[in-house]
Amino acid sequence: MREFVVTGREDLYRLKAMRGLSRVVVETRRLLYRNLLPHALKYAAWALMPGGTLLVRDASPNVFDLWPRFVSGKMVRQWTFKLLAGEAELVRLDLAAGEIELRRTRLPTPPGWGAGVVFSGQEAELPRLRQCLDALLRQPELGPEREGEIVVCGPAAASDSIAGYRQVRYLPYEMPPGPRVMICGKKNALIRALRGPRILVLHTRVLLAPDTLRHVPEEFEISTPRVFADGPAGREDYLSLGVHDPSLPGQAPRLTPSSLRRIPAERYLDLYAEGAPYVDGGVFMVRKDVHARCPLNEDVAWDEVEDLEWCTRALAAGFLIDLAPEATATSVVAKLRSPPLPPQVIRWLRSGKFAVHAGRHRLRDRAERLLERR
């Protein structure tokens, strides 16, 4: 019998790579207020063999209080059953002891990958498209011997852009006319056209490392590789995983945003204590059955934080937004600037800049409320 006990963040880094366990015990105490209970429950379910048991132990009071920075036992039960819906079935519920025992029911995700490239059809983008395809063709998981596939999605008039790439299929898609770029409909069509149970979607500006897909965990729901860009001081973290809270309609943000540009990727779980997570739309991975239950919102266009909106709905539905830190990629287009300084100094400067900006906005909000302008 292989058993593993999860009590804190460091256990999660180890549990993520485990498979074939017969029992996992999750102690919630040190996970709740770091927003890491979803990781513990999902990683535990995926580490179990089919039929293996998951025991959740929670000492939170069984009350209905909804105070800030307080989690009741009732909320822990709600989160557990919502996050593990479709993954496990209930075996035992002991309210007095604060224990929930479940059995894994979902079979492991079968092998297979599909990669979809979002292409505008513009001639100026052709060199980047070829670079992107060359990088994808270096992924063994996308080879025909593993039933992998690569699809480029763009306007019908640009279908000859994949000439010379016999392994690549072209999916014609015409964007609706108008000033808004309705990218979500295009990505939805691309994902639905791919057959594999694991889907990678990326823009042409993103180049995968030769072993990117090899380092992606076998089980995930929505995830992203660690994306780099070239800066004055060399390669640095770019847009991949971030946290924020302004994605519900009509709800003004209250938290300061953060990302891997402020927290080392080796400690990426620290990000989750700072806000709701999202992955950048430039490159992401999604399990196909997860996308079927939570597709991108086709009413939201590119440049309208469509990636944040999608991830917020997925998070509310009980799906895990995650990072595969050992799977790396590079963005050949960098929109963000950095000074030519050591990485630790850059992180200090960024944290200071974010603190100043956040403090200024909080002071302005307080002043304008006093003046009754808000």
Side-chain angles (χ1 to χ4, degrees):
M1 178 178 181
R2 296 182 62 206
E3 178 177 294
F4 188 75
V5 179
V6 182
T7 61
R9 179 184 50 202
E10 297 305 318
D11 296 327
L12 294 178
Y13 291 120
R14 297 165 56 201
L15 180 63
K16 187 173 186 175
M18 293 182 177
R19 293 293 179 269
L21 299 180
S22 57
R23 181 178 172 86
V24 178
V25 179
V26 174
E27 306 276 0
T28 68
R29 184 185 302 274
R30 294 172 57 205
L31 301 168
L32 289 178
Y33 297 98
R34 296 178 182 269
N35 294 337
L36 293 179
L37 185 59
H39 289 77
L41 295 175
K42 297 283 187 177
Y43 290 178
W46 297 335
L48 288 169
M49 65 175 66
T53 58
L54 166 60
L55 177 63
V56 180
R57 287 184 180 145
D58 176 63
S60 305
N62 190 35
V63 296
F64 194 66
D65 292 346
L66 298 175
W67 296 108
R69 302 184 183 276
F70 172 76
V71 178
S72 71
K74 295 179 187 289
M75 291 300 301
V76 172
R77 296 201 303 278
Q78 181 211 102
W79 293 347
T80 299
F81 292 118
K82 187 170 186 176
L83 287 159
L84 294 181
E87 298 280 352
E89 64 182 5
L90 179 65
V91 174
R92 178 175 61 89
L93 177 62
D94 187 336
L95 296 182
E99 293 186 347
I100 309 170
E101 188 171 3
L102 306 107
R103 179 185 299 112
R104 177 174 179 173
T105 55
R106 190 177 74 84
L107 296 176
T109 303
W113 274 94
V117 182
V118 180
F119 178 48
S120 69
Q122 297 177 4
E123 188 173 350
E125 197 180 350
L126 278 174
R128 290 211 309 265
L129 173 64
R130 295 190 181 105
Q131 283 184 301
C132 180
L133 292 177
D134 290 341
L136 289 173
L137 289 169
R138 287 193 287 268
Q139 307 296 315
E141 292 78 6
L142 296 175
E145 64 279 0
R146 299 196 190 183
E147 299 185 356
E149 60 177 337
I150 302 172
V151 176
V152 174
C153 184
S159 60
D160 60 348
S161 59
I162 61 169
Y165 291 93
R166 290 181 297 173
Q167 189 183 328
V168 180
R169 181 161 57 95
Y170 196 85
L171 176 68
Y173 185 90
E174 305 300 335
M175 299 284 281
R180 301 171 71 217
V181 181
M182 308 307 292
I183 195 72
C184 292
K186 188 172 185 176
K187 289 181 178 179
N188 282 339
L190 182 54
I191 294 170
R192 290 171 184 139
L194 290 161
R195 298 186 299 270
R198 299 171 184 81
I199 305 296
L200 169 76
V201 176
L202 70 165
H203 289 252
T204 57
R205 65 177 181 270
V206 177
L207 307 180
L208 300 190
D211 58 354
T212 297
L213 296 185
R214 180 167 66 86
H215 288 298
V216 177
E218 294 177 6
E219 297 287 358
F220 62 87
E221 289 177 330
I222 295 174
S223 188
T224 178
R226 182 182 179 184
V227 182
F228 293 95
D230 290 329
R235 201 170 70 148
E236 63 175 0
D237 277 291
Y238 190 51
L239 304 175
S240 46
L241 180 71
V243 295
H244 210 338
D245 69 331
S247 50
L248 296 176
Q251 299 293 309
R254 287 291 180 268
L255 300 177
T256 304
S258 190
S259 71
L260 295 185
R261 289 170 65 82
R262 293 181 58 203
I263 289 180
E266 295 76 18
R267 301 204 323 265
Y268 74 94
L269 289 177
D270 290 356
L271 264 179
Y272 291 83
E274 300 188 24
Y278 68 96
V279 297
D280 179 65
V283 55
F284 62 82
M285 299 168 290
V286 60
R287 217 171 64 206
K288 187 156 186 179
D289 64 301
V290 170
H291 175 265
R293 293 166 59 189
C294 186
L296 282 79
N297 190 335
E298 298 188 14
D299 293 323
V300 182
W302 173 81
D303 206 29
E304 295 172 359
V305 286
E306 79 288 351
D307 41 14
L308 180 58
E309 191 277 340
W310 177 49
C311 288
T312 300
R313 283 188 294 110
L315 192 70
F319 297 119
L320 187 69
I321 313 298
D322 206 11
L323 173 77
E326 295 181 352
T328 61
T330 301
S331 176
V332 298
V333 176
K335 306 173 186 176
L336 306 176
R337 294 178 297 175
S338 297
L341 296 170
Q344 185 60 54
V345 175
I346 292 175
R347 288 196 191 100
W348 289 337
L349 290 175
R350 283 188 185 133
S351 294
K353 182 190 77 171
F354 273 79
V356 169
H357 281 308
R360 176 169 61 87
H361 283 291
R362 290 191 183 102
L363 286 173
R364 179 180 177 181
D365 179 70
R366 201 169 283 183
E368 294 203 352
R369 285 175 186 271
L370 288 172
L371 296 172
E372 297 187 350
R373 293 177 182 171
R374 291 189 178 182

